[in-house]
Amino acid sequence: MNNAQSAAAFEFEGVTKIFGSVTANSDVSFSVESGTIHGVVGENGAGKSTIMKILYGMYHPDGGTILVQGKPVRFKSSHDAISLGIGMVHQHFMLVPTLTVWQNVVLGMEPKKWNLNRNNSITELNNIKCQFGFQVDLHARISDLTVGQQQQVEILKLLYRKAEILILDEPTAVLTPQEVDVLLERLKNLRDLGKTVVFISHKLREILSFTENVTIMRHGKVVETLPTSGLTESSLAEKMVGRKLRALPVRKPVDTARSPRLSIDNLCVEKDGQAKLSNVSFDVRPGEIIGIAGVDGNGQHELVQVLMNVARDYEGKVLLDGKPLRECRTYELKQKGLAVVPPDRLKEAVVTDFCIRENYILGHHWEKEFVSHGTFQMPKIQAAVKSALETFDVRPREPEWPMSGLSGGNQQKVVLAREFARPVELLVAAQPTRGVDIGAIEFIHARFIQKRDEGASIVLVSTELEEILQLSDRILVLYEGKIQGQCLRKDATEEKLGLWMTGGQQ
Amino acid sequence: MIELLASTLRLATPLIFAAMGGLFCERAGVATICLEGVMLTGAWAAATATYFTQDPYIGICAGLVAGVLTMWLHALLAVQSKADAIVSGVAVNLFATGITPLLNKIFFGGTANTPSLSLDQRLSNVPIPGLEQIPFLGPLLFDQPFLIYLGLLTPFAVAYVIYRTAFGLRILAAGDGPKALATAGVSPTRVRWMAFAVGGALASLGGTYLAISHASQFTRDMTAGRGYIALTALIFGKWKPVPTLFACLFFGFFDALQIRLQSSSIGGFSVPVQFIQMLPYVAALVLLAGFIGRAEPPLAIGKDDR
């Protein structure tokens, strides 16, 4: 490593940021070497995004100094940051869905004001695409692109603006494992071309696998900045959470003598003439967790839709306690003890514009405990929500707080609090920890085990192998709509499951 | 038949201007039901200025100023103060129906109308050399006040601005993804104020045309719902300039037809004139309800995080 490379791309010196009564960042100091990939880890609410938004000029620091290329800077807005070569990809993409890729990229920095010469921009963008190895159709509409492709567009936007420092806020949270690999390769490539990449994440494995240095944050402060090599997942997790992680509780063995609660026999689902699920059969007993592993898009979506009783157009039998599921009304199932954690939290599990209280009673809003004579019993509802927030450690503990103002982990906890408020017979959970920080994952997993031990049947659909291996009693792997393989937890290895996930046989 | 076409053109022109004005505002992400009010103040200002100066071109300028100011009132409420755009639009319409007779009373002593303009004070016809020589067709279609030609050209100019300029791209972004626009370093509020200026100016031309070209004076509530028809045409044209032009021509045609049919009778039974007059509106309803499929408005319309 020569001198030019080891120079700091930017540096924070005692930066503090206060929102009202909350100190989001206090006395944050660290520096990032030019031409490296630098990880910033911490739980949700640790202040990682805030400090980076300060660097991007979106927030103004209340104290401290920021140095870019060794010179102190004061940004009035993101505009100033952009002109100094700093770019940021936000967790929620900032793209206009109805416009095309090239239009989104040039927006705000159009080459000619009165004649947006398509061809000029296209040539320039094609050059950038070639140089950095991007593959995305410049004429495609954003709304037609996958999430991974949209992320490419966001990075393309930064490169078009000649960004030298690229900040990515939780870039892998929304991606499938394959897309993550592509992204990581791309970022390494950018680093090799001399760019500085700041990677905000709470996925430790990613941080360990490809960053040079990592800054660990907790409660708005920097715990430590150190080289990544030599760190292990557990040492990093401990520094991040500030304590040793609890091991999952020892669980009761599955009582194989009990008859299955959920029984699926030759389930077939077709969509647009394509078989999405073919001849899927499995049983779930009380007190058992069935893990459904597989690469996203191999029939998990359809299976979950059937189990949530949303999709009713299928062949085969799905029986809950011996009764066909689709003959039941969904509210009857809820009363019988069906709990659901849908894969897309924001679309299927909560109403983001509602507050916590409203989301908490959603689906049970007609029940006697909340309603009398056609009106809500506010004091009762308030009390129920408050105690649920306490039990599930949701922050803030404010029933009137808007759902959209919660972190992913806290949103998911509200969903769990609602679903677990009544006795659970069957829990269908899909991607329950997607976009959720370590502390919350630990919490959610412990709750699942607790429900299992209380006798609930659980179907856990997840693309995270680690999660499947930790929680399941039995594991099924879906590949192209078929069960490619199944085994008991004790016989499962990552290699074996990985083979099944890609269509291999044993 | 040619007379009917010429009449279609004359009746479509105010709709085209108003709809193009509305297009700018709505594509920038703000519902704009106040086209009616903007046309009305434009019409009054144009008629009044023309009466005092004897010059219809000064009248047009006065109409533009009034139109921009009226639309900016909507901007002040709906863009700057983030009031509900529908409520703000209704307020602007009510304001216009009130302020025009009031000003008229102050200037001319009566609320009903401005003094009528003599023929040479109105916008004169501008024959297009060559084309106006065509027998029958020529004098009817190519010997018209210039606002009619301008009306026909405007949608193409609007299409260029919207689809091919940086300003247009920013308007589209303000309408479909204001947050993305803001992170790209451009203020959606600013873009909307500018879009409203253009929109107000265009919509005012619709009123101006009515007052000093189509008629010879401003009369109270003379726009008679044309602002709403223009809005319908805009939806019918799916917020796209050229399809909207055709929608305006379509409504203009039904309006012309309605006027022709007023004196007609079916088998000796004379149809009440009120029924005939309903024709353009019935056409609008039928089309919106049944034929155009789903029209997707700009995404930011009706969102409070504008």
Side-chain angles (χ1 to χ4, degrees):
Chain A
M1 197 182 280
N2 59 37
N3 279 338
Q5 262 184 322
S6 59
F10 66 89
E11 221 172 311
F12 292 112
E13 278 179 6
V15 175
T16 298
K17 176 72 196 171
I18 298 165
F19 294 108
S21 59
V22 182
T23 306
N25 288 133
S26 97
D27 195 22
V28 170
S29 306
F30 67 92
S31 74
V32 169
E33 278 173 37
S34 192
T36 62
I37 300 178
H38 190 105
V40 178
V41 294
E43 295 199 77
N44 281 339
K48 342 182 263 292
S49 293
T50 310
I51 192 73
M52 285 306 149
K53 282 179 180 167
I54 290 174
L55 178 65
Y56 187 53
M58 287 174 77
Y59 296 149
H60 306 287
D62 293 313
T65 326
I66 305 163
L67 301 151
V68 176
Q69 314 285 3
K71 290 188 202 89
V73 290
R74 280 203 88 80
F75 295 143
K76 281 204 214 80
S77 71
S78 305
H79 211 81
D80 298 344
I82 293 169
S83 61
L84 269 184
I86 299 170
M88 182 160 179
V89 175
H90 298 268
Q91 203 173 348
H92 302 284
F93 297 153
M94 296 293 181
L95 297 169
V96 186
T98 51
L99 296 181
T100 62
V101 171
W102 75 266
Q103 285 175 319
N104 266 284
V105 173
V106 301
L107 181 65
M109 275 193 59
E110 302 85 352
K112 280 184 188 167
K113 298 299 173 201
W114 285 104
N115 181 13
L116 268 192
N117 192 330
R118 208 181 282 232
N119 296 332
N120 261 349
S121 325
I122 299 283
T123 321
E124 191 184 340
L125 291 179
N126 270 326
N127 287 340
I128 299 177
K129 262 174 68 180
C130 285
Q131 193 187 346
F132 297 102
F134 281 72
Q135 287 143 345
V136 59
D137 177 7
L138 295 176
H139 296 287
R141 261 166 63 119
I142 295 297
S143 55
D144 295 334
L145 300 182
T146 63
V147 175
Q149 288 170 319
Q150 292 186 17
Q151 194 170 52
Q152 284 193 39
V153 180
E154 284 282 18
I155 298 174
L156 210 52
K157 258 165 81 176
L158 305 192
L159 297 174
Y160 175 77
R161 285 164 172 73
K162 312 254 184 295
E164 288 300 320
I165 300 170
L166 289 82
I167 309 163
L168 291 96
D169 191 358
E170 301 279 0
T172 57
V174 289
L175 301 183
T176 62
Q178 290 89 338
E179 286 172 329
V180 170
D181 291 342
V182 174
L183 174 73
L184 298 190
E185 274 313 307
R186 192 156 276 141
L187 294 180
K188 279 185 198 165
N189 189 20
L190 287 172
R191 173 201 53 198
D192 295 342
L193 289 162
K195 309 275 184 194
T196 308
V197 178
V198 180
F199 188 88
I200 306 175
S201 183
H202 52 239
K203 293 199 181 167
L204 305 180
R205 197 171 282 188
E206 288 159 9
I207 293 282
L208 289 172
S209 74
F210 88 124
T211 63
E212 270 93 11
N213 296 297
V214 58
T215 295
I216 303 152
M217 294 188 70
R218 196 195 317 145
H219 303 316
K221 296 190 179 98
V222 171
V223 178
E224 212 173 344
T225 299
L226 68 176
T228 313
S229 57
L231 281 173
T232 64
E233 226 171 298
S234 59
S235 65
L236 194 53
E238 270 167 39
K239 285 179 200 292
M240 186 167 128
V241 185
R243 59 176 163 79
K244 280 208 177 291
L245 289 175
R246 280 184 290 268
L248 280 174
V250 183
R251 49 173 111 177
K252 295 188 213 160
V254 180
D255 184 358
T256 48
R258 293 185 71 171
S259 57
R261 179 170 286 143
L262 176 74
S263 148
I264 297 178
D265 189 24
N266 275 316
L267 174 65
C268 299
V269 174
E270 227 178 66
K271 214 181 262 173
D272 308 323
Q274 274 188 314
K276 293 288 181 184
L277 284 178
S278 23
N279 300 317
V280 170
S281 307
F282 63 91
D283 293 336
V284 192
R285 296 187 194 87
E288 184 181 36
I289 299 180
I290 299 289
I292 312 270
V295 176
D296 220 357
N298 276 288
Q300 295 98 323
H301 175 73
E302 288 73 18
L303 180 63
V304 171
Q305 295 272 310
V306 167
L307 293 179
M308 295 199 316
N309 211 23
V310 179
R312 292 197 167 96
D313 187 18
Y314 52 82
E315 310 256 310
K317 280 191 204 144
V318 180
L319 303 176
L320 179 63
D321 288 328
K323 199 181 169 198
L325 192 74
R326 65 175 148 196
E327 287 173 17
C328 302
R329 306 279 294 268
T330 304
Y331 76 85
E332 289 168 5
L333 291 173
K334 275 186 171 297
Q335 282 186 315
K336 270 172 118 178
L338 171 72
V340 172
V341 179
D344 191 336
R345 186 161 57 235
L346 296 181
K347 283 197 184 125
E348 298 171 301
V350 300
V351 182
T352 36
D353 290 341
F354 281 10
C355 65
I356 296 178
R357 168 179 53 82
E358 289 164 319
N359 273 295
Y360 179 77
I361 61 169
L362 213 59
H364 302 283
H365 50 272
W366 43 269
E367 279 177 13
K368 284 218 174 62
E369 61 173 304
F370 297 141
V371 181
S372 101
H373 306 298
T375 53
F376 282 135
Q377 296 299 96
M378 277 306 173
K380 278 191 196 167
I381 295 175
Q382 291 282 2
V385 178
K386 278 211 177 106
S387 83
L389 295 186
E390 201 71 40
T391 327
F392 282 81
D393 189 29
V394 178
R395 285 167 208 207
R397 293 214 167 93
E398 274 298 327
E400 304 303 316
W401 199 269
M403 204 63 181
S404 52
L406 295 182
S407 69
N410 282 311
Q411 287 174 344
Q412 196 70 307
K413 283 180 181 176
V414 173
V415 174
L416 282 192
R418 176 180 72 207
E419 299 299 316
F420 288 179
R422 287 152 197 82
V424 178
E425 299 264 289
L426 172 64
L427 167 66
V428 179
Q431 310 296 355
T433 54
R434 188 180 268 175
V436 166
D437 59 90
I438 290 194
I441 291 176
E442 205 189 3
F443 181 90
I444 291 168
H445 284 176
R447 289 283 163 163
F448 277 26
I449 299 291
Q450 183 196 346
K451 282 290 157 193
R452 169 200 175 276
D453 284 350
E454 286 169 17
S457 307
I458 299 179
V459 179
L460 168 73
V461 178
S462 178
T463 49
E464 303 273 345
L465 262 191
E466 211 181 323
E467 180 168 63
I468 293 277
L469 286 167
Q470 262 188 7
L471 294 181
S472 313
D473 296 302
R474 204 143 48 89
I475 298 168
L476 272 61
V477 177
L478 275 180
Y479 175 72
E480 293 187 342
K482 291 195 232 1
I483 295 179
Q484 188 74 15
Q486 53 180 309
C487 61
L488 293 175
R489 161 68 188 96
K490 60 178 167 54
D491 305 325
T493 59
E494 284 205 23
E495 291 68 41
K496 188 195 243 178
L497 298 181
L499 190 69
W500 283 339
M501 281 165 72
T502 48
Q505 290 286 354
Q506 226 157 6
Chain B
M1 190 60 207
I2 292 165
E3 175 50 44
L4 189 66
L5 281 182
S7 166
T8 297
L9 268 188
R10 284 196 295 272
L11 292 164
T13 299
L15 300 180
I16 297 170
F17 282 122
M20 290 304 130
L23 189 139
F24 268 94
C25 305
E26 296 230 321
R27 287 309 289 259
V30 187
T32 305
I33 60 166
C34 57
L35 296 173
E36 184 82 4
V38 174
M39 287 171 87
L40 210 53
T41 53
W44 182 83
T48 306
T50 310
Y51 174 76
F52 284 119
T53 62
Q54 313 279 308
D55 185 344
Y57 293 93
I58 294 181
I60 290 178
C61 295
L64 290 175
V65 172
V68 173
L69 289 180
T70 313
M71 198 61 104
W72 270 357
L73 180 63
H74 183 41
L76 189 68
L77 296 171
V79 177
Q80 205 67 37
S81 319
K82 301 198 189 296
D84 183 277
I86 301 295
V87 175
S88 159
V90 171
V92 170
N93 280 340
L94 293 176
F95 166 78
T97 47
I99 190 95
T100 44
L102 174 69
L103 288 174
N104 209 59
K105 184 155 189 182
I106 293 168
F107 277 77
F108 305 108
T111 56
N113 50 262
T114 58
S116 74
L117 305 169
S118 64
L119 204 56
D120 61 319
Q121 290 171 339
R122 292 165 58 184
L123 276 182
S124 51
N125 288 5
V126 184
I128 297 181
L131 291 175
E132 52 122 8
Q133 307 291 334
I134 305 169
F136 301 112
L137 263 169
L140 283 167
L141 297 180
F142 301 107
D143 184 12
Q144 303 276 6
F146 88 98
L147 277 180
I148 290 201
Y149 309 130
L150 187 65
L152 286 174
L153 294 178
T154 300
F156 298 97
V158 170
Y160 182 85
V161 172
I162 291 281
Y163 298 125
R164 284 301 168 90
T165 67
F167 179 47
L169 185 63
R170 290 167 183 201
I171 287 179
L172 295 180
D176 283 337
K179 278 189 186 156
L181 184 64
T183 37
V186 183
S187 153
T189 306
R190 238 181 94 100
V191 171
R192 284 173 180 151
W193 275 94
M194 294 199 286
F196 270 50
V198 180
L202 282 174
S204 82
L205 283 177
T208 299
Y209 167 82
L210 285 176
I212 65 171
S213 181
H214 195 68
S216 59
Q217 62 188 163
F218 167 85
T219 49
R220 191 170 174 174
D221 296 333
M222 76 183 305
T223 46
R226 284 186 177 84
Y228 295 104
I229 293 280
L231 203 59
T232 310
L234 183 59
I235 298 169
F236 187 23
K238 301 195 173 177
W239 290 270
K240 295 188 173 89
V242 177
T244 302
L245 165 66
F246 285 106
C248 291
L249 289 171
F250 177 87
F251 287 127
F253 172 76
F254 271 93
D255 208 8
L257 193 66
Q258 169 267 118
I259 293 169
R260 292 219 109 194
L261 291 180
Q262 277 183 14
S263 50
S264 67
S265 56
I266 302 171
F269 173 73
S270 70
V271 183
V273 71
Q274 287 81 359
F275 272 98
I276 307 274
Q277 282 173 339
M278 275 165 43
L279 209 56
Y281 307 96
V282 171
L285 270 179
V286 169
L287 277 169
L288 274 185
F291 288 98
I292 57 165
R294 221 179 128 59
E296 284 287 343
L299 301 175
I301 283 188
K303 302 271 166 62
D304 53 358
D305 62 340
R306 293 181 259 122

